Amino acid sequence: MRAGATSVIAIATRSTKGEGPHAKPIRIAARDIEKVIVESLERLIGDRAQLTLLYPQHGSEGYETADLLRSAALLHRAIPTMSPSDQRALLLELALQVVVHADRIEAQIGYAALGERLGVEQLDSDQEIVELGIPTLMVRRGTDVKLTIQFDAQASSSRRDPKLVELIVKAHQARRMLGLDGRPPTIASDLDYYARNHLARLARFAFPAPKIVAAILEGSQPATVSARKLMRTSDLPMDWKQQKSMLGFS
């Protein structure tokens, strides 16, 4: 990117332009990256299912979940009305980091910073970042290389399987109820065998590979993967590589 661009991206980005003395420059406007990052942030904050997965401790209490989603809805409505300078201030507040590679753009915000902005009191100490999807296409024009940003949130949302998303959300709720998150169990002591067994079956799907969860939330999972198939899978391995192989993720 050109030096001196008046954009938060100029502050937060480091660019990798390939290796070797003859590597061609990557040309992409900082303002275009900033625009798509704001759009990606809007999509994240407006996704109730994904927020519930990011901050799962809020799923066990109805009031806490409502507070989280209410704060997210207010921020989601506010972002489009913000001035460019306010949007940049928000990105900096969320500890935005961007890396422009020769063939892709990687963007992430701070997990704790976003949680604090949304009023989350208890955070998952094992998570530090939240990735923002920035789909790109590399186009060669003569001796130059140009990254074209591809973003179609509506098409992605339309492909999402709501039953799969619901299964992942319920799996995290079951995990917390059974005390598999390091906290005391919250299930009733007189819960019958069948109900406990159902919770145990659900909890197995609280530990899938991040790539699998991301694909389900984006609606890009293999066509053969469904909530019904997963519930019938009795031997889902804990190893992420084996999970992806079993379910047909490349």
Side-chain angles (χ1 to χ4, degrees):
M1 292 180 295
R2 295 184 297 274
T6 57
S7 166
V8 65
I9 304 302
I11 301 172
T13 302
R14 61 183 178 86
S15 176
T16 57
K17 298 182 178 179
E19 298 179 355
H22 303 295
K24 300 299 180 183
I26 301 300
R27 296 183 178 181
I28 188 165
R31 62 180 176 272
D32 291 341
I33 304 177
E34 183 175 299
K35 179 175 182 291
V36 79
I37 286 174
V38 170
E39 292 175 356
S40 183
L41 177 62
E42 284 186 75
R43 183 175 69 161
L44 168 66
I45 294 175
D47 192 326
R48 296 162 63 94
Q50 191 166 1
L51 286 177
T52 304
L53 289 176
L54 281 173
Y55 302 102
Q57 66 273 20
H58 285 264
S60 59
E61 296 291 340
Y63 290 113
E64 292 181 349
T65 301
D67 288 342
L68 168 65
L69 298 180
R70 187 181 301 109
S71 297
L74 289 172
L75 182 58
H76 185 259
R77 288 196 296 268
I79 290 176
T81 67
M82 291 179 177
S83 66
S85 60
D86 286 342
Q87 289 182 345
R88 292 166 188 156
L90 174 62
L91 294 178
L92 289 175
E93 177 188 338
L94 297 180
L96 172 69
Q97 295 184 30
V98 183
V99 180
V100 180
H101 295 274
D103 58 348
R104 69 191 186 280
I105 300 172
E106 295 179 350
Q108 62 187 39
I109 56 177
Y111 175 79
L114 177 61
E116 182 177 350
R117 181 63 189 244
L118 297 178
V120 177
E121 296 181 356
Q122 294 182 327
L123 299 171
D124 183 348
S125 59
D126 294 331
Q127 183 163 350
E128 297 180 356
I129 64 170
V130 177
E131 294 185 2
L132 299 176
I134 312 293
T136 56
L137 179 66
M138 187 168 63
V139 178
R140 295 184 180 277
R141 295 179 178 174
T143 59
D144 290 338
V145 178
K146 182 179 180 180
L147 284 180
T148 300
I149 295 173
Q150 304 285 302
F151 201 86
D152 190 351
Q154 183 175 1
S156 176
S157 177
S158 68
R159 293 192 298 267
R160 183 185 297 162
D161 184 339
K163 291 184 178 179
L164 272 173
V165 175
E166 183 182 13
L167 175 61
I168 299 298
V169 172
K170 287 184 175 180
H172 281 273
Q173 291 173 344
R175 174 192 177 192
R176 292 189 297 277
M177 292 176 69
L178 293 171
L180 300 179
D181 59 351
R183 298 183 178 92
T186 60
I187 59 174
S189 57
D190 59 349
L191 197 66
D192 63 49
Y193 168 79
Y194 295 102
R196 287 176 180 270
N197 185 54
H198 180 66
L199 286 176
R201 291 179 62 206
L202 280 173
R204 293 176 302 150
F205 304 107
F207 305 96
K211 182 176 180 179
I212 293 176
V213 175
I216 289 174
L217 291 173
E218 294 170 0
S220 61
Q221 73 280 350
T224 56
V225 176
S226 66
R228 184 176 182 181
K229 178 180 179 179
L230 287 182
M231 284 300 292
R232 290 184 172 183
T233 302
S234 59
D235 56 349
L236 185 69
M238 294 297 293
D239 181 79
W240 288 349
K241 186 175 181 179
Q242 293 179 12
Q243 288 177 4
K244 290 185 286 187
S245 176
M246 173 183 285
L247 298 175
F249 287 81
S250 57

